[in-house]
Amino acid sequence: MSSEPAKDPKPSRGLPCPCGSGQLFEACCEPILTGRQPAATAEKLMRARFTAHVAHDFKFLHATYRPTSGTPYVAETGEPTMAWTKLVVHAHEVTDNPDKAFVDFSAYGTEEGVEKVLQEKAEFHRINGTWLYTREARLGPAPYKSATPKVGRNDPCPCGSGKKYKQCCLLKA
């Protein structure tokens, strides 16, 4: 008997869902993956798509990707090399259009024993009541936003000299 765990990527009932929601698999992504329940939000679909990657449910991924959603699924040969391990959803933004949303996330996995992370802001559209993954809106981490406002050229210098910024510290920069 081997001491290694079985290499069955399928999520199991009674265990936490791989998407990281904190719910059990049967209460979280299983109803969406099996088609018993549609994803209520873009974030729910993102979580179900991550779980589908874990479970190697490529038919579900094909069906929930807008460019391929209406076409027949044809299985590809070969196994993926990435073993997905964790999903962190940073933000779920609904736009002015209630049928368009963005999900900012980090998906972690291991490939050849090395942990890797995919950071993406994904765009989703709801078409005829069904959420579909449309495209990556941004690949990589979110742009850095300074917590302090930018000093204007004619503003008082933040060093406290009493001069305008353009006549003080801007010259030193």
Side-chain angles (χ1 to χ4, degrees):
M1 231 174 136
S2 174
S3 62
E4 288 186 28
K7 295 196 176 196
D8 182 11
K10 297 247 184 247
S12 300
R13 299 181 120 238
L15 293 176
C17 192
C19 77
S21 67
Q23 297 178 329
L24 294 177
F25 172 64
E26 61 268 20
C28 188
C29 291
E30 184 185 45
I32 299 168
L33 291 172
T34 59
R36 289 192 317 250
Q37 172 184 327
T41 65
E43 180 181 347
K44 289 271 192 187
L45 179 60
M46 177 67 237
R47 291 183 178 282
R49 284 180 56 83
F50 177 82
T51 301
H53 276 289
V54 171
H56 296 178
D57 186 351
F58 303 116
K59 188 173 182 179
F60 178 82
L61 295 169
H62 177 87
T64 58
Y65 180 46
R66 187 174 182 187
T68 60
S69 64
T71 63
Y73 172 70
V74 177
E76 294 181 19
T77 59
E79 286 290 316
T81 57
M82 181 71 78
W84 296 103
T85 57
K86 179 173 76 167
L87 176 71
V88 178
V89 175
H90 304 294
H92 175 222
E93 308 164 22
V94 178
T95 64
D96 293 339
N97 176 353
D99 293 329
K100 182 178 179 181
F102 294 93
V103 178
D104 200 345
F105 68 92
S106 296
Y108 296 83
T110 57
E111 187 172 35
E112 297 178 3
V114 177
E115 184 177 53
K116 298 185 177 185
V117 63
L118 168 69
Q119 295 177 315
E120 181 180 327
K121 182 175 186 176
E123 181 179 321
F124 294 83
H125 286 182
R126 184 169 39 198
I127 299 169
N128 298 326
T130 302
W131 283 103
L132 297 172
Y133 169 72
T134 305
R135 67 182 182 95
E136 70 181 37
R138 185 198 71 246
L139 189 59
Y144 174 76
K145 293 181 182 177
S146 177
T148 59
K150 189 175 178 180
V151 179
R153 290 175 34 92
N154 290 316
D155 291 341
C157 191
C159 76
S161 68
K163 296 180 183 178
K164 288 185 178 182
Y165 178 62
K166 69 181 179 185
Q167 296 172 336
C168 188
C169 289
L170 180 62
L171 296 173
K172 299 172 188 170

